[in-house]
Amino acid sequence: MNGIMKPEKTELKQNLATMFYPRSIAIVGSSPDRGKLGYNITENLIRFNFPGSIYPINPRYTETFGLPTYPSLAAIGNHVDLVLCAVGANATIEVVRECSMLGINALVAYAANFREVGQEGKKLEAALSEIADRTGLIVLGPNTPGFINGNIPLNATFFPFRVQKGNIAVMTQSGGVGGGIYHKALEENMPVGLWIGVGNRANLDFSDLLLYLGQDETVDVIGIYMEGTERGDQFISAAARVTSRKPVILFKAGRTDSANRLTLSHTGSLSGSQGIYRGLLKQAGVIQVDSVAELVCACKGLAVAGEPKSERIGMVTPSGGGSIIVFDLLMEWDCLLPQFTQDTDKNIRRIMNNTNSVVYKNPLDLTTTGFEAGLYGRVTEALAMDENIDIIIAIFPIHEYFPPPDDKLIEIRTKVGKPIIVYWIAIDRLNNEYEKRRKVLEDNGIPVFLLPEEVAWAARTMAIRSRSMHHSY
């Protein structure tokens, strides 16, 4: 695939770095009126402690949120890294012009009513693209909710999402679905540092952003929610480059012909043939998932636990129920759960005193004997040391009299170095102690999931990632 690659545009890369890591921001259309977009955006910069200079711009005010407010961009007098443009579609074109004349390199265009509404909007969007392409200004949007970079911290959206540091980047073609992904991530303690709404992609498309994220050192895992793109070949060649360095996980919507029509009216984009895309994306090393929840769990597994050396999964549980669902799913997806080595088998039998009720194979079902944390921990260690196993799924039913062996799992993770994924059965989410325990495990590189599908998604993604890294296409 490398033959059709374009050279990376260093200028584009630098301008994207300026966009996502700005030291100064101007908000055109900033307003003290709560009903206005410019109010939400300015409030978010302040509320989440953006550490750089903030310049509100609105000729009707001299002060907004206690900050001096300027009549125009030119009136600021200092260089501005990023312009957040919170005015309507027609006015946005004027702001784009002004930025290009002032040598400003990056702009977020929030306004709707561009190509997604028909001919008139299409003309406006073409004018925006023409100025941006000619002058080297980069524009996120239009029709975008903006972006978040929690690593600064910066919330450049109109959503009151709290920000966090993190090593996952999420690109989304829908503000609403993207919001759902972000909230599910927060619920999962999943560290999304960069969240980017691509909008209509008049100037920056998935491929440009993907190539940039491929070399942003804060990003280890990239998740994408895509409805469609007119530049599928560019996306696939960008993905082929990036997946050799970082996992890229994609949830592609608009998979039926009728959904194509909806996609067009939503962000002005056609979806393309699903069958053709699936094969090409797989070849480019992209891991494809089928839901928002799966996208989050897949990203979380890799971002927290890291990449396995190979794809073979070992599973240990003292409870049949949850493990049967996980096992079924892994089998349906052709995951490998190999037999343990003879040494491991002997070792486990010795630890378990050859108890008859134990199922001595992979998945290893310790039955109720395994509720004892000491035994469970020693067995899991034996399983983790097995040379046939690369990924460990540790399932443990939560009960106040049988606390899980957290410290032992952290010790195994440190000593053996293989990814361990934990699935807690029947946890009370409202129990603070368990939220704390979960955080300790996740801070130590062990992701915790609370549903069987979620742990299966995470393990499957790790296995696919390992497989695609060991087979060059």
Side-chain angles (χ1 to χ4, degrees):
M1 301 202 70
N2 292 338
I4 58 168
M5 297 266 172
K6 285 185 179 176
E8 276 191 33
K9 297 179 270 187
T10 45
E11 193 182 324
L12 177 70
K13 247 163 63 172
Q14 280 159 0
N15 289 355
L16 278 165
T18 304
M19 175 178 275
F20 294 127
Y21 296 88
R23 283 160 308 191
S24 53
I25 295 178
I27 310 101
V28 177
S30 182
S31 170
D33 175 351
R34 286 188 81 105
K36 295 275 195 295
L37 182 63
Y39 177 95
N40 295 134
I41 291 165
T42 314
E43 182 187 40
N44 275 347
L45 295 185
I46 295 162
R47 181 195 302 180
F48 298 106
N49 303 314
F50 171 64
S53 311
I54 301 173
Y55 302 111
I57 297 189
N58 192 324
R60 293 168 55 199
Y61 304 100
T62 53
E63 194 180 275
T64 316
F65 287 93
L67 295 168
T69 299
Y70 299 83
S72 66
L73 283 167
I76 294 170
N78 294 329
H79 177 72
V80 171
D81 282 340
L82 172 64
V83 169
L84 304 181
C85 185
V87 292
N90 285 302
T92 295
I93 305 298
E94 292 313 310
V95 177
V96 167
R97 256 193 209 105
E98 198 180 348
C99 287
S100 62
M101 280 153 58
L102 291 170
I104 293 169
N105 293 330
L107 175 137
V108 177
Y110 299 93
N113 297 326
F114 280 91
R115 116 178 101 132
E116 78 283 2
V117 296
Q119 276 318 106
E120 281 310 300
K122 218 172 186 175
K123 279 182 203 155
L124 277 180
E125 194 162 315
L128 185 152
S129 296
E130 191 276 323
I131 302 163
D133 292 346
R134 178 166 43 80
T135 61
L137 168 73
I138 59 165
V139 178
L140 185 65
N143 188 23
T144 175
F147 73 91
I148 291 170
N149 187 347
N151 295 316
I152 295 183
L154 164 60
N155 180 342
T157 75
F158 43 81
F159 296 131
F161 294 166
R162 64 186 166 90
V163 298
Q164 55 181 5
K165 283 187 158 56
N167 61 341
I168 296 172
V170 169
M171 278 194 273
T172 176
Q173 201 163 352
S174 154
V177 173
I181 293 168
Y182 198 79
H183 283 309
K184 172 73 176 156
L186 285 173
E187 204 179 281
E188 287 291 335
N189 303 329
M190 178 178 117
V192 173
L194 266 168
W195 181 94
I196 305 163
V198 298
N200 285 12
R201 309 170 337 284
N203 172 245
L204 284 175
D205 204 351
F206 284 107
S207 50
D208 305 307
L209 292 161
L210 187 54
L211 287 171
Y212 169 76
L213 294 172
Q215 51 85 58
D216 182 319
E217 285 176 9
T218 68
V219 177
D220 292 329
V221 177
I222 300 163
I224 303 172
Y225 169 72
M226 178 193 277
E227 288 163 355
T229 172
E230 305 71 28
R231 293 179 279 279
D233 51 349
Q234 283 177 353
F235 176 72
I236 284 161
S237 51
R241 261 159 90 159
V242 173
T243 56
S244 64
R245 295 197 295 271
K246 298 176 186 183
V248 175
I249 299 161
L250 173 75
F251 172 32
K252 167 89 171 59
R255 290 178 294 189
T256 57
D257 287 345
S258 342
N260 260 330
R261 292 199 302 278
L262 288 172
T263 307
L264 186 59
S265 66
H266 181 207
T267 47
S269 160
L270 276 165
S271 304
S273 154
Q274 184 63 9
I276 293 170
Y277 264 135
R278 272 193 104 85
L280 289 169
L281 288 163
K282 185 179 178 185
Q283 232 178 318
V286 174
I287 299 167
Q288 293 164 85
V289 297
D290 295 311
S291 69
V292 164
E294 188 178 354
L295 180 67
V296 171
C297 297
C299 287
K300 175 179 168 173
L302 281 166
V304 176
E307 297 186 24
K309 293 269 188 305
S310 189
E311 61 178 291
R312 300 162 304 174
I313 299 166
M315 187 152 67
V316 58
T317 180
S319 159
S323 62
I324 291 168
I325 300 172
V326 178
F327 183 66
D328 276 352
L329 288 168
L330 294 176
M331 288 296 96
E332 276 172 32
W333 298 325
D334 297 328
C335 292
L336 291 178
L337 278 84
Q339 287 308 310
F340 304 130
T341 62
Q342 278 182 312
D343 283 354
T344 304
D345 188 67
K346 273 187 208 150
N347 215 345
I348 291 169
R349 287 175 190 273
R350 191 174 45 74
I351 296 165
M352 296 307 292
N353 283 328
N354 266 322
T355 306
N356 280 336
S357 59
V358 172
V359 180
Y360 293 99
K361 59 180 190 181
N362 190 7
L364 177 64
D365 187 352
L366 304 177
T367 60
T368 48
T369 335
F371 273 96
E372 204 278 295
L375 274 183
Y376 183 94
R378 278 159 53 214
V379 167
T380 306
E381 183 171 23
L383 183 152
M385 308 274 286
D386 191 310
E387 62 195 28
N388 285 351
I389 301 299
D390 311 293
I391 301 162
I392 298 101
I393 296 178
I395 299 176
F396 203 89
I398 296 301
H399 188 290
E400 61 179 312
Y401 302 140
F402 303 107
D406 302 345
D407 294 347
K408 183 66 177 173
L409 291 180
I410 292 166
E411 181 198 311
I412 297 166
R413 171 85 180 103
T414 311
K415 190 164 84 177
V416 183
K418 295 175 184 176
I420 298 175
I421 318 173
V422 166
Y423 162 33
W424 279 345
I425 296 179
I427 185 180
D428 172 7
R429 274 306 301 268
L430 304 173
N431 182 330
N432 247 339
E433 185 207 336
Y434 281 104
E435 281 299 294
K436 281 187 202 125
R437 279 176 173 273
R438 183 185 193 188
K439 184 158 179 17
V440 169
L441 282 169
E442 294 185 337
D443 287 348
N444 282 280
I446 301 175
V448 177
F449 296 96
L450 309 181
L451 289 172
E453 298 85 353
E454 295 178 339
V455 75
W457 287 330
R460 168 188 183 236
T461 305
M462 284 182 182
I464 294 172
R465 174 65 182 163
S466 158
R467 209 177 296 159
S468 69
M469 289 308 284
H470 292 107
H471 300 81
S472 50
Y473 290 100

